[in-house]
Amino acid sequence: MEDNKLFTEFPPVSTEKWEEVINKDLKGADYEKKLVWRTIEGFKVKPYYRAEDLEGLEYLDSNPGQMPYTRGKHTDNNVWDVRQDIRIADPKEANRVALDAVERGATSLGICAQGIKTLDDMIALFKGIYINAVSINFTCSEDYLQLLKLYVDYANLQGINPKELQGSCEFDPFRYALKHGSFHRGEEEDFLMAKQLIEFAHANLPNFRVLTVHGSLLHNAGSNIVQELGFSLAAANELVARLADLGVKPHRVASRIVLNVGVGSTYFMEMAKIRAARLLWSKIVEQYKPECDCAYKLFIHATTSEWNQSVYDPYVNMLRSTTEAMSACIAGADSISVLPFDNAYKEADDFGYRIARNQQLLLKEESYLDKIADPAAGSYYIENLTDQIAKGAWENFLKIEEIGGFCKAIRQGYVQDEVEKTARQRDLDIATRKTTILGTNQYPNLLEKMGEKVESGKSKADSGKCCCGCKQGDEVRILKPYRGAEPFEALRLATERSGKRPKVFLLTYGNLTMRKARAGFATNFFGVAGYEIIDNPGFASAEEGAQAALESKADIVVLCSSDDEYAEITEPACKALKGKVKSLVLAGFPKEMVETYKGYGIDEFIHVKTNVLECLTAFQKMFGII
């Protein structure tokens, strides 16, 4: 019908009009503080984006499979390899796990090669595995060149053409130096080894990538996204430049590099990081005028974050790694490793491996994320983030170039300083609960016991751990991976292992909404240290509550009420309890009355700005737990 306007185009609405409505709804509240997210990378994320935010982004004109490959290398799908990393040095045991992985859906294997010394070891490792049907990625070897020679010998023994084999080896002189304090054989010798690996692969394993840059090490040491990307690309660029000086053609180096990135839980930003990596790599490689377009097609392997895994409430790790794997596959990673959910406190077993593998299989077989090339395309938000991250990473890349390259930068400690500076800020955000680690610094399971489940040496992060027992040098300052949850876990594990469990009595009074809110806050606050919480429905008077607290033999009493009603109960509660319990705490921070309440006997005020870690550490010391 002519007068039916249901399907007519909506009139355009300008940004100014949107802003007018938003500011009206804010009712005078600060727009920047309420709606703009300030990332740890230093840039602002707006609450919404429009087409005008993408003006001037040249790469938007390209299609998937076209330069600069921001939109991925595939033109009609988004296929990635489901990789399972097996940190087992014994060839026979590694074979058992690898066979099970391949039978249950893994298309790529990460193999710890520390136990591979002879051809017989190689035979034992790959018994029953068709190496021409699975991507094989060797990790943790003392001599990758000798390892690849054995691998070629094994392929020939099996009647398989080595030139058909796909995979990689994780030779990375920078990672070795940052982990062990010195280069493996010396800086110059390591680059000569890289040259030999490329030459050997070119002649025997044309589909094998023999160099790896581990941005994941930076990620798990606490770096932010633009640092991880900028520094990693600077390391990759140095490989190309230094090997070109040794006579290796740039395209041969560039096409042999794997960029191994860590993927954290900032869902959309991690997507943008991987897309930005391909964009920047194309710009870098372009300067070398490569003889083959293969140089532009950076191979990206993504590993879910170890930094944000937790010992407590470990099943939450499944949720974290699922969203991380989604970020990686939507962004077009070439292969993905999902860490087992219990990796933070024990060595992986069949159940942990199976869950990690199935997380990816579900993304393929049920969500069909492998069917569409560049599923993130066209999102104003993600495209804008891609641009911002690319610009931030490029600044970091240029800074490394000004210093003289990645080797000089890590020798001077610049990379370590920058990463550690960010890590300190992230630690502070966790300590003050600006950043939430579910089940660890917020919303703990009060009944959970993990002390007996933590295997020796597994409560600390072991990202990239090798089995070789390498000696530490002092050429380069070591960059240590860790998990952000570790300090809080240490508090709670200490409580479990001490045999002491302080009792926290919540003296609730007055306004129902406020007392329940502050009781909940106090429960979370002391619960993360493993303390016993005694909650109450509310008392008619301070004296009644104090008497109940004494009968419970509580160690800590927390007053939970509204700011106005604290004026009624604080003095009588303190008179009844002071000297009879270890500590008197007030939930909240009634600023104008703080000194008065301290005079009554309040020892501590807990509120949203409290450094929870420092406060609980003081309590642990008071109780003799640490």
PDB file of all heavy atoms in Angstrom, residues 346-360:
ATOM      1  N   LYS A 346      47.936 -28.183  38.404  1.00  0.00           N
ATOM      2  CA  LYS A 346      48.339 -29.570  38.209  1.00  0.00           C
ATOM      3  C   LYS A 346      48.762 -29.821  36.769  1.00  0.00           C
ATOM      4  O   LYS A 346      48.429 -29.037  35.876  1.00  0.00           O
ATOM      5  CB  LYS A 346      47.201 -30.537  38.579  1.00  0.00           C
ATOM      6  CG  LYS A 346      45.981 -30.421  37.671  1.00  0.00           C
ATOM      7  CD  LYS A 346      44.803 -31.259  38.176  1.00  0.00           C
ATOM      8  CE  LYS A 346      45.049 -32.729  38.092  1.00  0.00           C
ATOM      9  NZ  LYS A 346      45.125 -33.209  36.697  1.00  0.00           N
ATOM     10  N   GLU A 347      49.494 -30.894  36.565  1.00  0.00           N
ATOM     11  CA  GLU A 347      49.843 -31.284  35.205  1.00  0.00           C
ATOM     12  C   GLU A 347      48.601 -31.815  34.504  1.00  0.00           C
ATOM     13  O   GLU A 347      47.722 -32.420  35.128  1.00  0.00           O
ATOM     14  CB  GLU A 347      50.938 -32.360  35.230  1.00  0.00           C
ATOM     15  CG  GLU A 347      52.279 -31.878  35.766  1.00  0.00           C
ATOM     16  CD  GLU A 347      52.894 -30.753  34.934  1.00  0.00           C
ATOM     17  OE1 GLU A 347      52.595 -30.679  33.723  1.00  0.00           O
ATOM     18  OE2 GLU A 347      53.655 -29.955  35.501  1.00  0.00           O
ATOM     19  N   ALA A 348      48.523 -31.572  33.227  1.00  0.00           N
ATOM     20  CA  ALA A 348      47.329 -31.939  32.474  1.00  0.00           C
ATOM     21  C   ALA A 348      47.108 -33.452  32.493  1.00  0.00           C
ATOM     22  O   ALA A 348      48.055 -34.238  32.454  1.00  0.00           O
ATOM     23  CB  ALA A 348      47.449 -31.440  31.041  1.00  0.00           C
ATOM     24  N   ASP A 349      45.842 -33.839  32.562  1.00  0.00           N
ATOM     25  CA  ASP A 349      45.475 -35.247  32.431  1.00  0.00           C
ATOM     26  C   ASP A 349      44.491 -35.382  31.266  1.00  0.00           C
ATOM     27  O   ASP A 349      44.184 -34.408  30.589  1.00  0.00           O
ATOM     28  CB  ASP A 349      44.883 -35.790  33.733  1.00  0.00           C
ATOM     29  CG  ASP A 349      43.669 -34.991  34.215  1.00  0.00           C
ATOM     30  OD1 ASP A 349      43.071 -34.262  33.393  1.00  0.00           O
ATOM     31  OD2 ASP A 349      43.326 -35.093  35.413  1.00  0.00           O
ATOM     32  N   ASP A 350      44.006 -36.594  31.051  1.00  0.00           N
ATOM     33  CA  ASP A 350      43.146 -36.838  29.889  1.00  0.00           C
ATOM     34  C   ASP A 350      41.885 -35.977  29.923  1.00  0.00           C
ATOM     35  O   ASP A 350      41.422 -35.489  28.885  1.00  0.00           O
ATOM     36  CB  ASP A 350      42.763 -38.324  29.826  1.00  0.00           C
ATOM     37  CG  ASP A 350      43.950 -39.209  29.456  1.00  0.00           C
ATOM     38  OD1 ASP A 350      44.966 -38.646  28.990  1.00  0.00           O
ATOM     39  OD2 ASP A 350      43.873 -40.432  29.636  1.00  0.00           O
ATOM     40  N   PHE A 351      41.317 -35.777  31.131  1.00  0.00           N
ATOM     41  CA  PHE A 351      40.099 -34.976  31.234  1.00  0.00           C
ATOM     42  C   PHE A 351      40.371 -33.518  30.866  1.00  0.00           C
ATOM     43  O   PHE A 351      39.619 -32.904  30.099  1.00  0.00           O
ATOM     44  CB  PHE A 351      39.536 -35.062  32.654  1.00  0.00           C
ATOM     45  CG  PHE A 351      38.274 -34.259  32.845  1.00  0.00           C
ATOM     46  CD1 PHE A 351      37.093 -34.638  32.230  1.00  0.00           C
ATOM     47  CD2 PHE A 351      38.275 -33.118  33.639  1.00  0.00           C
ATOM     48  CE1 PHE A 351      35.920 -33.907  32.401  1.00  0.00           C
ATOM     49  CE2 PHE A 351      37.120 -32.376  33.814  1.00  0.00           C
ATOM     50  CZ  PHE A 351      35.938 -32.770  33.195  1.00  0.00           C
ATOM     51  N   GLY A 352      41.453 -32.943  31.398  1.00  0.00           N
ATOM     52  CA  GLY A 352      41.797 -31.561  31.077  1.00  0.00           C
ATOM     53  C   GLY A 352      42.067 -31.360  29.597  1.00  0.00           C
ATOM     54  O   GLY A 352      41.612 -30.372  28.999  1.00  0.00           O
ATOM     55  N   TYR A 353      42.812 -32.303  29.001  1.00  0.00           N
ATOM     56  CA  TYR A 353      43.080 -32.234  27.563  1.00  0.00           C
ATOM     57  C   TYR A 353      41.771 -32.300  26.767  1.00  0.00           C
ATOM     58  O   TYR A 353      41.574 -31.563  25.795  1.00  0.00           O
ATOM     59  CB  TYR A 353      43.968 -33.402  27.135  1.00  0.00           C
ATOM     60  CG  TYR A 353      45.445 -33.240  27.418  1.00  0.00           C
ATOM     61  CD1 TYR A 353      46.189 -34.302  27.958  1.00  0.00           C
ATOM     62  CD2 TYR A 353      46.121 -32.063  27.097  1.00  0.00           C
ATOM     63  CE1 TYR A 353      47.543 -34.177  28.195  1.00  0.00           C
ATOM     64  CE2 TYR A 353      47.480 -31.943  27.334  1.00  0.00           C
ATOM     65  CZ  TYR A 353      48.196 -33.000  27.886  1.00  0.00           C
ATOM     66  OH  TYR A 353      49.536 -32.874  28.111  1.00  0.00           O
ATOM     67  N   ARG A 354      40.878 -33.212  27.174  1.00  0.00           N
ATOM     68  CA  ARG A 354      39.643 -33.425  26.405  1.00  0.00           C
ATOM     69  C   ARG A 354      38.759 -32.187  26.422  1.00  0.00           C
ATOM     70  O   ARG A 354      38.228 -31.769  25.387  1.00  0.00           O
ATOM     71  CB  ARG A 354      38.878 -34.638  26.968  1.00  0.00           C
ATOM     72  CG  ARG A 354      37.566 -34.911  26.244  1.00  0.00           C
ATOM     73  CD  ARG A 354      37.038 -36.293  26.601  1.00  0.00           C
ATOM     74  NE  ARG A 354      36.643 -36.409  27.989  1.00  0.00           N
ATOM     75  CZ  ARG A 354      35.431 -36.105  28.466  1.00  0.00           C
ATOM     76  NH1 ARG A 354      34.499 -35.651  27.636  1.00  0.00           N
ATOM     77  NH2 ARG A 354      35.146 -36.264  29.733  1.00  0.00           N
ATOM     78  N   ILE A 355      38.604 -31.597  27.603  1.00  0.00           N
ATOM     79  CA  ILE A 355      37.774 -30.392  27.699  1.00  0.00           C
ATOM     80  C   ILE A 355      38.365 -29.270  26.846  1.00  0.00           C
ATOM     81  O   ILE A 355      37.649 -28.578  26.100  1.00  0.00           O
ATOM     82  CB  ILE A 355      37.644 -29.943  29.162  1.00  0.00           C
ATOM     83  CG1 ILE A 355      36.870 -30.977  29.979  1.00  0.00           C
ATOM     84  CG2 ILE A 355      36.966 -28.574  29.253  1.00  0.00           C
ATOM     85  CD1 ILE A 355      35.443 -31.185  29.540  1.00  0.00           C
ATOM     86  N   ALA A 356      39.688 -29.080  26.927  1.00  0.00           N
ATOM     87  CA  ALA A 356      40.345 -28.010  26.170  1.00  0.00           C
ATOM     88  C   ALA A 356      40.169 -28.208  24.670  1.00  0.00           C
ATOM     89  O   ALA A 356      39.902 -27.256  23.924  1.00  0.00           O
ATOM     90  CB  ALA A 356      41.830 -27.960  26.528  1.00  0.00           C
ATOM     91  N   ARG A 357      40.302 -29.442  24.232  1.00  0.00           N
ATOM     92  CA  ARG A 357      40.150 -29.747  22.805  1.00  0.00           C
ATOM     93  C   ARG A 357      38.700 -29.541  22.359  1.00  0.00           C
ATOM     94  O   ARG A 357      38.430 -28.958  21.311  1.00  0.00           O
ATOM     95  CB  ARG A 357      40.594 -31.192  22.579  1.00  0.00           C
ATOM     96  CG  ARG A 357      40.758 -31.627  21.161  1.00  0.00           C
ATOM     97  CD  ARG A 357      41.415 -32.991  21.112  1.00  0.00           C
ATOM     98  NE  ARG A 357      40.747 -33.973  21.942  1.00  0.00           N
ATOM     99  CZ  ARG A 357      41.280 -34.561  23.019  1.00  0.00           C
ATOM    100  NH1 ARG A 357      42.499 -34.266  23.396  1.00  0.00           N
ATOM    101  NH2 ARG A 357      40.594 -35.453  23.724  1.00  0.00           N
ATOM    102  N   ASN A 358      37.770 -29.999  23.195  1.00  0.00           N
ATOM    103  CA  ASN A 358      36.354 -29.909  22.823  1.00  0.00           C
ATOM    104  C   ASN A 358      35.845 -28.475  22.785  1.00  0.00           C
ATOM    105  O   ASN A 358      34.876 -28.182  22.067  1.00  0.00           O
ATOM    106  CB  ASN A 358      35.505 -30.746  23.781  1.00  0.00           C
ATOM    107  CG  ASN A 358      35.638 -32.235  23.531  1.00  0.00           C
ATOM    108  OD1 ASN A 358      36.229 -32.643  22.527  1.00  0.00           O
ATOM    109  ND2 ASN A 358      35.121 -33.045  24.422  1.00  0.00           N
ATOM    110  N   GLN A 359      36.475 -27.593  23.551  1.00  0.00           N
ATOM    111  CA  GLN A 359      36.069 -26.192  23.479  1.00  0.00           C
ATOM    112  C   GLN A 359      36.210 -25.664  22.051  1.00  0.00           C
ATOM    113  O   GLN A 359      35.348 -24.943  21.551  1.00  0.00           O
ATOM    114  CB  GLN A 359      36.909 -25.354  24.448  1.00  0.00           C
ATOM    115  CG  GLN A 359      36.529 -25.558  25.908  1.00  0.00           C
ATOM    116  CD  GLN A 359      37.515 -24.918  26.861  1.00  0.00           C
ATOM    117  OE1 GLN A 359      38.418 -25.560  27.371  1.00  0.00           O
ATOM    118  NE2 GLN A 359      37.360 -23.635  27.107  1.00  0.00           N
ATOM    119  N   GLN A 360      37.302 -26.038  21.398  1.00  0.00           N
ATOM    120  CA  GLN A 360      37.495 -25.604  20.010  1.00  0.00           C
ATOM    121  C   GLN A 360      36.570 -26.357  19.063  1.00  0.00           C
ATOM    122  O   GLN A 360      36.024 -25.769  18.110  1.00  0.00           O
ATOM    123  CB  GLN A 360      38.947 -25.828  19.589  1.00  0.00           C
ATOM    124  CG  GLN A 360      39.949 -24.932  20.287  1.00  0.00           C
ATOM    125  CD  GLN A 360      41.276 -24.940  19.547  1.00  0.00           C
ATOM    126  OE1 GLN A 360      41.358 -24.520  18.392  1.00  0.00           O
ATOM    127  NE2 GLN A 360      42.313 -25.409  20.209  1.00  0.00           N
TER     128      GLN A 360
END
